[in-house]
Amino acid sequence: MQSALYRILDANLDRAREGLRVIEEWCRFGLNDVALTERCKYWRQELAHWHQAELRAARNTPDDPGTDLTHPNEATRGSIEQVLQVNFCRVEEALRVLEEYGKVYRADMASAVKQMRYQVYTLESHLMTVHRRQVLDSAALYLVTSPSENLFSTVEAALKGGLGLVQYRDKEADDATRFQNAQKLRELCRDYGALFIVNDRVDLALAVDADGVHLGQDDMPFAWARQMLGQHKLIGRSTHSPEQLKAAIAEGADYVGVGPVYETPTKAGRPAAGLEYVKYAAEHCSIPWYAIGGIDTQNIHEVLGAGAQRVSVVRAIMQAEQPTFVTQFFIAQLEQKRRFQPQSTPDPWEA
Ligand SMILES: Cc1ncc(COP(=O)(O)OP(=O)(O)O)c(N)n1
Ligand SMILES: Cc1nc(C(=O)O)sc1CCOP(=O)(O)O
Ligand SMILES: [Mg+2]
């Protein structure tokens, strides 16, 4: 019995330390964050302190049936986000095992490991938020989906073209279908390191662990959504006028839609806010903003000319014959614009 207990503790101390090392490398080389790097190192050292000789001596690798068990999913990782998620999961599980079996071994170890597990959850949440903001910052093109037989292949084609931000928008499907579609898109985006946003529905966003939700002026109040989603998820807001833009910034939106730039059948009946509103946003908006509405490969130059550095489209990609190619075209135009006209950061209270 004691030998089994020691082997469990030995294996999980190793597992937790290895996972922490993977996370630590990202804090160090990916984020250049000294404090977080040191925090991970400190946890590793604390675990090393509990990893006593008696536990190591119980190790019996040749007889361990677990060493040959690998899941096919372990062979590949779609993105750094996935690497981090898998390793956070590994560390948290190992810490839980150490806590439970540690109660039989040493109560002081069990309670130290419990505290560590809570702190690791906090780090995970923080890193995912930092990651989301970094991807949002760099995502100049935003695809809003429309119902399509080719939903997944079109979105994947756009992701292959370098798309970094996807919104699932479906006003027709029943909830079961929406849930299934959102789940698949969530996975697809994760594989490509893109952010995944759900239109209108906070419940659906939570159910599939989306990166956030997009709310229009007639959707759920912003404060409710924030309360349900917490501080770590993104909330985008549609705006159609300077007043709405100012309000969205004040309520804490992470990004805004600015439009419709042109009238569009995708949002029939909504009058165009026009290029004038794009110019206003370019001068006054202090948070990431996406020009939207009727934008295609023919008129994007006008929109960029009015000051947009990010655009959001539905039909231009969802109905494209070659979504990868169209995505690459948009991104190239946007990158060129960003290179020659770096984003200014107006006073946040000026809008
Ligand atoms: C990026 C982006 N901007 C605007 C909208 C429109 O949102 P809303 O006004 O709520 O209209 P619906 O999309 O819900 O019909 C959007 N979805 N995305
Ligand atoms: C969903 C949506 N919201 C808009 C807004 O102005 O808030 S315009 C729009 C539709 C954009 O579709 P397309 O690229 O096909 O014109
Ligand atoms: Mg809406």
Side-chain angles (χ1 to χ4, degrees), residues 144 167 169 214 238-240 257-267 270 292-295 312-316:
V144 178
Q167 180 189 131
R169 178 178 183 270
H214 185 92
S238 309
T239 70
H240 315 294
V258 165
V261 183
Y262 307 101
E263 279 187 14
T264 165
T266 312
K267 203 75 190 146
R270 177 167 285 288
I292 183 169
I295 300 172
S312 178
V313 298
V314 181
R315 288 167 303 146

Short mmCIF file of all heavy atoms in Angstrom, two decimals, residues 144 167 169 214 238-240 257-267 270 292-295 312-316, ligand 2:
data_model
loop_
_atom_site.label_atom_id
_atom_site.label_comp_id
_atom_site.label_asym_id
_atom_site.label_seq_id
_atom_site.Cartn_x
_atom_site.Cartn_y
_atom_site.Cartn_z
N VAL A 144 -17.39 37.43 -39.76
CA VAL A 144 -18.67 37.11 -39.11
C VAL A 144 -19.35 36.10 -40.03
O VAL A 144 -19.53 36.36 -41.23
CB VAL A 144 -19.54 38.39 -38.95
CG1 VAL A 144 -20.89 38.05 -38.33
CG2 VAL A 144 -18.80 39.43 -38.10
N GLN A 167 -16.49 35.23 -35.73
CA GLN A 167 -17.73 35.33 -34.95
C GLN A 167 -18.76 34.38 -35.54
O GLN A 167 -19.00 34.39 -36.75
CB GLN A 167 -18.29 36.76 -35.02
CG GLN A 167 -19.57 36.95 -34.24
CD GLN A 167 -20.22 38.30 -34.50
OE1 GLN A 167 -21.41 38.40 -34.79
NE2 GLN A 167 -19.45 39.37 -34.43
N ARG A 169 -22.38 33.69 -36.19
CA ARG A 169 -23.65 34.43 -36.23
C ARG A 169 -24.64 33.62 -37.03
O ARG A 169 -24.43 33.35 -38.21
CB ARG A 169 -23.44 35.79 -36.90
CG ARG A 169 -24.71 36.63 -37.05
CD ARG A 169 -24.36 37.98 -37.68
NE ARG A 169 -25.50 38.87 -37.80
CZ ARG A 169 -26.29 38.92 -38.86
NH1 ARG A 169 -26.11 38.11 -39.89
NH2 ARG A 169 -27.31 39.78 -38.88
N HIS A 214 -20.45 38.97 -28.94
CA HIS A 214 -20.69 40.26 -29.59
C HIS A 214 -22.13 40.70 -29.35
O HIS A 214 -23.07 39.94 -29.62
CB HIS A 214 -20.42 40.19 -31.10
CG HIS A 214 -20.55 41.54 -31.72
ND1 HIS A 214 -19.48 42.40 -31.86
CD2 HIS A 214 -21.64 42.22 -32.14
CE1 HIS A 214 -19.90 43.55 -32.36
NE2 HIS A 214 -21.21 43.46 -32.54
N SER A 238 -21.71 46.56 -31.16
CA SER A 238 -21.97 47.25 -32.43
C SER A 238 -22.24 48.72 -32.13
O SER A 238 -22.94 49.03 -31.17
CB SER A 238 -23.25 46.72 -33.09
OG SER A 238 -23.23 45.34 -33.16
N THR A 239 -21.72 49.59 -32.97
CA THR A 239 -22.04 51.02 -32.83
C THR A 239 -22.35 51.60 -34.20
O THR A 239 -21.77 51.18 -35.21
CB THR A 239 -20.87 51.82 -32.21
OG1 THR A 239 -19.80 51.89 -33.17
CG2 THR A 239 -20.38 51.21 -30.91
N HIS A 240 -23.28 52.56 -34.19
CA HIS A 240 -23.71 53.15 -35.47
C HIS A 240 -23.61 54.67 -35.44
O HIS A 240 -24.04 55.32 -36.39
CB HIS A 240 -25.15 52.71 -35.76
CG HIS A 240 -25.38 51.24 -35.51
ND1 HIS A 240 -24.77 50.26 -36.26
CD2 HIS A 240 -26.10 50.59 -34.56
CE1 HIS A 240 -25.12 49.06 -35.78
NE2 HIS A 240 -25.92 49.23 -34.74
N GLY A 257 -17.77 47.34 -33.34
CA GLY A 257 -18.06 47.36 -34.77
C GLY A 257 -18.49 48.78 -35.11
O GLY A 257 -19.20 49.42 -34.33
N VAL A 258 -18.05 49.27 -36.26
CA VAL A 258 -18.36 50.64 -36.69
C VAL A 258 -19.04 50.52 -38.05
O VAL A 258 -18.41 50.18 -39.05
CB VAL A 258 -17.06 51.47 -36.77
CG1 VAL A 258 -17.27 52.75 -37.55
CG2 VAL A 258 -16.54 51.78 -35.36
N GLY A 259 -20.36 50.76 -38.08
CA GLY A 259 -21.04 50.59 -39.36
C GLY A 259 -22.54 50.79 -39.26
O GLY A 259 -23.02 51.27 -38.25
N PRO A 260 -23.27 50.41 -40.30
CA PRO A 260 -22.75 49.85 -41.55
C PRO A 260 -22.07 50.94 -42.39
O PRO A 260 -22.62 52.03 -42.52
CB PRO A 260 -23.99 49.36 -42.27
CG PRO A 260 -25.12 49.44 -41.30
CD PRO A 260 -24.75 50.42 -40.26
N VAL A 261 -20.91 50.59 -42.90
CA VAL A 261 -20.23 51.55 -43.77
C VAL A 261 -21.08 51.75 -45.03
O VAL A 261 -21.32 52.88 -45.46
CB VAL A 261 -18.82 51.03 -44.15
CG1 VAL A 261 -18.10 52.07 -44.99
CG2 VAL A 261 -18.02 50.70 -42.90
N TYR A 262 -21.55 50.67 -45.60
CA TYR A 262 -22.44 50.72 -46.77
C TYR A 262 -23.70 49.92 -46.41
O TYR A 262 -23.63 49.02 -45.57
CB TYR A 262 -21.79 50.06 -47.99
CG TYR A 262 -20.42 50.61 -48.31
CD1 TYR A 262 -19.27 49.91 -47.94
CD2 TYR A 262 -20.28 51.82 -48.99
CE1 TYR A 262 -18.01 50.40 -48.24
CE2 TYR A 262 -19.01 52.32 -49.28
CZ TYR A 262 -17.89 51.61 -48.90
OH TYR A 262 -16.64 52.10 -49.18
N GLU A 263 -24.80 50.25 -47.09
CA GLU A 263 -26.00 49.43 -46.88
C GLU A 263 -25.70 48.00 -47.32
O GLU A 263 -24.93 47.79 -48.27
CB GLU A 263 -27.16 49.98 -47.69
CG GLU A 263 -27.81 51.14 -46.98
CD GLU A 263 -29.07 51.63 -47.64
OE1 GLU A 263 -29.62 50.91 -48.51
OE2 GLU A 263 -29.51 52.73 -47.30
N THR A 264 -26.29 47.05 -46.63
CA THR A 264 -25.94 45.66 -46.93
C THR A 264 -27.15 44.75 -46.74
O THR A 264 -27.89 44.92 -45.77
CB THR A 264 -24.78 45.18 -46.03
OG1 THR A 264 -24.71 43.74 -46.10
CG2 THR A 264 -24.93 45.58 -44.58
N PRO A 265 -27.34 43.80 -47.66
CA PRO A 265 -28.45 42.84 -47.50
C PRO A 265 -28.29 41.97 -46.26
O PRO A 265 -29.27 41.42 -45.76
CB PRO A 265 -28.39 41.99 -48.77
CG PRO A 265 -27.03 42.20 -49.35
CD PRO A 265 -26.57 43.55 -48.90
N THR A 266 -27.08 41.85 -45.76
CA THR A 266 -26.88 41.02 -44.56
C THR A 266 -27.55 41.67 -43.35
O THR A 266 -27.91 40.99 -42.39
CB THR A 266 -25.37 40.83 -44.29
OG1 THR A 266 -24.73 40.46 -45.50
CG2 THR A 266 -25.11 39.78 -43.23
N LYS A 267 -27.72 42.98 -43.40
CA LYS A 267 -28.39 43.69 -42.30
C LYS A 267 -29.42 44.61 -42.96
O LYS A 267 -29.31 45.85 -42.90
CB LYS A 267 -27.30 44.47 -41.53
CG LYS A 267 -27.63 44.81 -40.13
CD LYS A 267 -27.55 43.65 -39.17
CE LYS A 267 -28.14 44.12 -37.86
NZ LYS A 267 -28.86 43.16 -37.11
N ARG A 270 -31.10 48.47 -42.26
CA ARG A 270 -30.29 49.37 -41.42
C ARG A 270 -29.60 50.39 -42.33
O ARG A 270 -28.83 50.01 -43.21
CB ARG A 270 -29.25 48.60 -40.61
CG ARG A 270 -28.36 49.52 -39.79
CD ARG A 270 -27.56 48.76 -38.77
NE ARG A 270 -28.36 48.33 -37.62
CZ ARG A 270 -28.81 49.15 -36.68
NH1 ARG A 270 -28.59 50.45 -36.75
NH2 ARG A 270 -29.52 48.70 -35.68
N ILE A 292 -17.52 47.77 -40.58
CA ILE A 292 -18.33 46.62 -41.03
C ILE A 292 -19.51 47.12 -41.87
O ILE A 292 -19.99 48.24 -41.66
CB ILE A 292 -18.84 45.80 -39.82
CG1 ILE A 292 -19.62 44.57 -40.30
CG2 ILE A 292 -19.67 46.63 -38.84
CD1 ILE A 292 -19.93 43.54 -39.20
N GLY A 293 -19.95 46.26 -42.77
CA GLY A 293 -21.15 46.54 -43.55
C GLY A 293 -20.84 46.83 -45.00
O GLY A 293 -20.36 47.92 -45.32
N GLY A 294 -21.08 45.84 -45.85
CA GLY A 294 -20.94 46.02 -47.29
C GLY A 294 -19.51 46.10 -47.79
O GLY A 294 -19.26 46.52 -48.91
N ILE A 295 -18.56 45.70 -46.97
CA ILE A 295 -17.15 45.82 -47.37
C ILE A 295 -16.76 44.59 -48.21
O ILE A 295 -17.08 43.46 -47.85
CB ILE A 295 -16.23 45.96 -46.13
CG1 ILE A 295 -16.62 47.23 -45.35
CG2 ILE A 295 -14.76 46.01 -46.55
CD1 ILE A 295 -15.93 47.38 -44.01
N SER A 312 -14.41 44.07 -40.79
CA SER A 312 -15.16 42.85 -40.54
C SER A 312 -16.08 42.60 -41.73
O SER A 312 -16.70 43.54 -42.23
CB SER A 312 -15.98 43.05 -39.25
OG SER A 312 -16.75 41.91 -39.01
N VAL A 313 -16.13 41.36 -42.18
CA VAL A 313 -16.96 41.04 -43.35
C VAL A 313 -17.76 39.77 -43.12
O VAL A 313 -17.34 38.89 -42.37
CB VAL A 313 -16.11 40.86 -44.63
CG1 VAL A 313 -15.35 42.13 -44.97
CG2 VAL A 313 -15.14 39.68 -44.50
N VAL A 314 -18.91 39.71 -43.82
CA VAL A 314 -19.69 38.46 -43.86
C VAL A 314 -19.58 37.89 -45.29
O VAL A 314 -18.81 36.96 -45.55
CB VAL A 314 -21.17 38.68 -43.48
CG1 VAL A 314 -21.92 37.35 -43.53
CG2 VAL A 314 -21.29 39.30 -42.09
N ARG A 315 -20.35 38.50 -46.21
CA ARG A 315 -20.47 37.90 -47.56
C ARG A 315 -19.14 37.80 -48.29
O ARG A 315 -18.91 36.85 -49.03
CB ARG A 315 -21.45 38.73 -48.41
CG ARG A 315 -22.91 38.58 -48.01
CD ARG A 315 -23.72 39.66 -48.67
NE ARG A 315 -23.20 40.96 -48.31
CZ ARG A 315 -23.19 42.03 -49.11
NH1 ARG A 315 -23.68 41.95 -50.32
NH2 ARG A 315 -22.68 43.18 -48.69
N ALA A 316 -18.29 38.79 -48.13
CA ALA A 316 -17.05 38.83 -48.92
C ALA A 316 -16.24 37.56 -48.75
O ALA A 316 -15.53 37.14 -49.67
CB ALA A 316 -16.22 40.05 -48.54
C1 LIG B 2 -23.77 41.93 -39.01
C2 LIG B 2 -23.59 43.35 -39.41
N1 LIG B 2 -23.57 44.36 -38.50
C3 LIG B 2 -23.42 45.56 -39.07
C4 LIG B 2 -23.39 46.81 -38.32
O1 LIG B 2 -23.22 47.87 -38.93
O2 LIG B 2 -23.50 46.75 -37.12
S1 LIG B 2 -23.32 45.46 -40.74
C5 LIG B 2 -23.46 43.78 -40.70
C6 LIG B 2 -23.46 42.90 -41.90
C7 LIG B 2 -22.16 42.87 -42.65
O3 LIG B 2 -22.32 41.96 -43.64
P1 LIG B 2 -21.64 42.07 -45.05
O4 LIG B 2 -20.19 42.03 -44.86
O5 LIG B 2 -22.16 40.86 -45.78
O6 LIG B 2 -22.12 43.33 -45.67
#
